[in-house]
Amino acid sequence: MITTLAQWLAGQTVDPKLASVVASMAAASAEIAGILRLAPIAGQTGLAGHTNVQGEAQKALDVISNDIVLNHIGQNSEISILVSEELDEAVHLENQGQYMVATDPLDGSSNLDVNVTVGTIFSVLDASKGLLQPGTAQLAAGYAAYGPATSLVITFGAGVAVFTLDGAGQFVLTLDKVAVAAASSEYAINTARERFWDEATRSYVAENVAGETGPAGKRYNMRWVGSMVADIHRILMRGGIFMYPLDSETVSKGGRLRLLYEANPMAMIVEAAGGASTTGSEKILELVPTGIHQRVPVILGSAEEVARVEGWYAKA
Ligand code: AHM
Ligand code: MG
């Protein structure tokens, strides 16, 4: 017997209004998946200012995705605020709903033109508590990964469930109670940035590269999709660590990835699945944001690997 997302949501011990917010993001994701699947035929590329074969100006797919999210969210009276990577300011909707959504509607869009997995990431918070809440205040988090299959991953804090989009546009439960392996021998970091790395990152990666001949005592493999959603989904499914640490080039901005709609929801999901997350020296989920588009260092995944990185930061 299959379990649809709607059936699964109805069985959760959460406020049905909160469940409806997640359902709205799921509906937006299903629509985005449909657009992405046919985008090359429609002449839509990831690039802004592109003109299609009919000579019509095309909106970039991340703008289209943002419009889709805005449309679905605007139709849900439980949501009053939207924070999006695509919008400079928070949008205060006409609805007086209790919830706020922070989202990156289309993450990893540089991968679009090569048909590599991209995703939508979202976080749900209590709108009455203001825009700048720590990740511990998140009520739900999720992402959609648009890959060979469209996967939707959801947590309300306890447990993580994975749904797959079927041919009729419905999400079906395909994995419940996901657990991130505590140990792993796979790491994800953009190694082209090595010259900017700090000592802790350098030391951790050097141990992994040394493999069974070094102190780690086992051989490692490296994977970097360059789409956070794809890299995190791999880690959720088979363990590993994802790192976008603070480095000498990103230090002035605070990091590369965004706290509200990239780091926090992913940290909540990974921790709900038994993994760990850190900036290196602080807990991502405890950071009090100073701005809606704030950037932070992100290190998350298998608990033992994250602990090794934290060990190097503690020595620094
Ligand atoms: P984006 O929000 O502009 O798409 O940037 C975020 C992406 C993440 O998905 C990915 O982990 C990272 O940027 C890749 O960075 P890099 O270009 O250094 O490989
Ligand atoms: Mg992004």
Side-chain angles (χ1 to χ4, degrees):
M1 243 224 352
I2 65 155
T3 303
T4 65
L5 173 66
Q7 287 165 339
W8 182 84
L9 285 173
Q12 301 302 299
T13 50
V14 296
D15 179 357
K17 294 175 180 174
L18 173 60
S20 83
V21 178
V22 170
S24 290
M25 287 307 296
S29 300
E31 192 175 335
I32 293 168
I35 300 272
L36 296 181
R37 197 166 56 235
L38 300 176
I41 297 173
Q44 284 160 330
T45 75
L47 308 172
H50 174 78
T51 308
N52 73 6
V53 283
Q54 282 85 32
E56 299 159 336
Q58 294 284 295
K59 276 196 215 170
L61 284 164
D62 36 20
V63 176
I64 293 172
S65 301
N66 184 66
D67 290 348
I68 291 172
V69 168
L70 199 51
N71 181 36
H72 281 271
I73 286 210
Q75 288 174 34
N76 186 333
S77 59
E78 310 304 340
I79 307 165
S80 55
I81 302 174
L82 175 69
V83 168
S84 168
E85 172 163 20
E86 288 299 318
L87 305 167
D88 290 345
E89 307 288 338
V91 180
H92 293 266
L93 302 155
E94 281 173 23
N95 296 319
Q96 295 303 305
Q98 192 185 334
Y99 297 102
M100 156 178 151
V101 171
T103 185
D104 183 350
L106 197 57
D107 184 59
S109 39
S110 66
N111 274 322
L112 277 170
D113 292 332
V114 289
N115 196 24
V116 166
T117 299
V118 291
T120 298
I121 313 171
F122 66 92
S123 163
V124 186
L125 295 129
D126 182 341
S128 70
K129 295 187 178 156
L131 296 175
L132 304 177
Q133 304 174 47
T136 49
Q138 293 174 104
L139 302 170
Y143 66 78
Y146 310 110
T150 292
S151 301
L152 178 72
V153 174
I154 296 170
T155 187
F156 288 106
V160 176
V162 181
F163 301 82
T164 301
L165 190 61
D166 72 8
Q170 181 162 257
F171 281 106
V172 174
L173 182 68
T174 42
L175 207 53
D176 210 351
K177 302 185 178 65
V178 179
V180 176
S184 163
S185 48
E186 222 165 43
Y187 64 102
I189 187 166
N190 183 349
T191 55
R193 305 188 60 78
E194 184 169 350
R195 68 196 164 103
F196 304 120
W197 288 351
D198 57 23
E199 209 42 49
T201 305
R202 232 173 252 284
S203 304
Y204 171 75
V205 173
E207 281 186 353
N208 290 358
V209 171
E212 65 272 40
T213 68
K218 61 178 178 183
R219 184 171 291 211
Y220 278 76
N221 204 357
M222 199 284 281
R223 287 286 181 272
W224 181 254
V225 180
S227 263
M228 188 190 200
V229 168
D231 282 311
I232 299 295
H233 196 65
R234 185 189 58 251
I235 289 166
L236 215 57
M237 294 299 110
R238 67 176 189 210
I241 184 169
F242 172 92
M243 303 173 72
Y244 218 115
L246 197 64
D247 62 33
S248 63
E249 197 183 45
T250 58
V251 67
S252 60
K253 295 180 185 163
R256 163 82 159 95
L257 300 172
R258 314 289 183 141
L259 177 58
L260 261 62
Y261 41 79
E262 293 177 330
N264 272 342
M266 290 309 198
M268 182 181 187
I269 291 165
V270 166
E271 292 206 7
S277 64
T278 180
T279 64
S281 50
E282 287 175 288
K283 289 194 166 299
I284 290 174
L285 293 173
E286 289 176 3
L287 298 174
V288 178
T290 53
I292 59 171
H293 297 296
Q294 183 180 348
R295 296 173 193 262
V296 287
V298 176
I299 296 159
L300 43 73
S302 291
E304 288 180 15
E305 296 304 315
V306 173
R308 273 183 56 213
V309 178
E310 284 175 320
W312 279 111
Y313 274 97
K315 279 185 218 165

